[in-house]
Amino acid sequence: MAETRKPTFKPKAGSRPGVVSAERSVDEPVVEPPKEAGPKDSNVLVFPEPKGRKRRRTVLTVLAVVVVLVAGIIVATIYSPVFAVRTVTVDGVKMLQPVAVQQALAPIKGKPLPQINDAEIATLLKPLVQVRSVTTEARPPSELRVHVVERVPVALVKNGDAYMLVDVDGVQLGSTPDSSSVPLPIIDGQGTNPDLFKAITAVLATLPSDVLAKMASASATSPDAVQLKLNDGKTVVWGNADEKELKARVLEALIKAPVNPKVPVNVYDVSVPRHPFTK
């Protein structure tokens, strides 16, 4: 068993009394502090990072930067005053005046284009009964174009001393004191059954505008028995609402067909559109 040696201290020659001075014996071994392991320690193996992992980390970093930049651009666009509405242009109006639409859309002035949608525009134009539907088109940096689809009057309904213009849904679009000033047929709206009224207006809405202008009146005893009266006194037997588009084309062709003076036509029957006849 090895012998444990304790360090011995020898007083230094010439030292003053009361002052302790020590020296390590030359025969004692010197103990050096342990060396810290460094990156070049021969006992540590350093493996390079896999290329796939490094590539994925680079791609993810780039994607994150792109997402942040795109989000910033979108937010800046939505709220930027650069894209605030300054000009509103309107098309598709005939019954309405464009200025009336622009006045109704005054609340959107100064609002950024990306914040405006068709639903908001439709809500603002709802008080204008002539507007059936609306779509919008943004033209940066500051113009909003509004495309209006108006309701189309298909008949006149007598109301006291005036005549109301109504569309296929029965919506009142205006009035006139003189029925001859508007080329539309007259419907007796007093006490008319709603189903009959709807059947009549659905037929009138199907007719081409030039044929509709030739109509003097429209009536029905049932939804399956709609009849029209032309300005020249001739009658159109329409029948029910089935194949109404085909019936409209057939009626247009019959009206425009040359008439033999020796065989006058008083009735156009298109109730069976594939086998129409006149009498």
Side-chain angles (χ1 to χ4, degrees), residues 6-232:
K6 296 182 179 180
T8 57
F9 298 92
K10 298 178 181 181
K12 188 175 181 181
S15 60
R16 290 178 298 172
V19 178
V20 178
S21 177
E23 292 182 350
R24 185 181 297 276
S25 300
V26 292
D27 58 347
E28 295 179 359
V30 177
V31 180
E32 296 182 357
K35 295 182 179 179
E36 295 182 358
K40 296 183 180 180
D41 194 334
S42 59
N43 294 329
V44 178
L45 298 178
V46 179
F47 294 96
E49 184 178 12
K51 293 183 178 180
R53 181 183 301 173
K54 184 177 181 180
R55 187 180 299 112
R56 286 196 300 269
R57 185 171 66 249
T58 302
V59 171
L60 292 176
T61 301
V62 172
L63 287 177
V65 172
V66 170
V67 170
V68 171
L69 290 176
V70 171
I73 293 173
I74 292 175
V75 172
T77 302
I78 292 176
Y79 295 99
S80 174
V82 175
F83 297 100
V85 175
R86 295 181 179 85
T87 304
V88 177
T89 55
V90 180
D91 61 21
V93 294
K94 295 180 180 179
M95 301 184 66
L96 283 168
Q97 294 295 328
V99 66
V101 178
Q102 292 178 349
Q103 289 175 351
L105 296 178
I108 67 171
K109 289 289 187 70
K111 189 173 183 178
L113 284 171
Q115 297 185 28
I116 299 173
N117 54 55
D118 291 356
E120 180 182 6
I121 300 300
T123 299
L124 292 174
L125 297 181
K126 190 174 182 179
L128 303 178
V129 295
Q130 294 87 350
V131 177
R132 185 176 189 86
S133 63
V134 63
T135 56
T136 60
E137 177 187 353
R139 294 189 172 185
S142 60
E143 180 184 357
L144 179 69
R145 181 173 289 275
V146 179
H147 305 284
V148 176
V149 177
E150 290 184 325
R151 293 182 179 274
V152 178
V154 297
L156 296 172
V157 176
K158 193 169 184 354
N159 182 21
D161 296 332
Y163 294 88
M164 297 182 302
L165 285 74
V166 297
D167 75 339
V168 64
D169 299 319
V171 177
Q172 300 177 17
L173 305 177
S175 64
T176 178
D178 183 10
S179 62
S180 62
S181 65
V182 181
L184 292 174
I186 298 174
I187 299 177
D188 182 10
Q190 299 298 325
T192 302
N193 184 295
D195 293 335
L196 298 182
F197 185 89
K198 186 175 181 179
I200 295 171
T201 56
V203 170
L204 298 177
T206 308
L207 298 177
S209 58
D210 57 339
V211 175
L212 182 62
K214 298 179 184 296
M215 297 297 162
S217 63
S219 61
T221 56
S222 74
D224 295 328
V226 177
Q227 285 196 357
L228 311 175
K229 186 75 71 173
L230 277 70
N231 291 323
D232 58 7

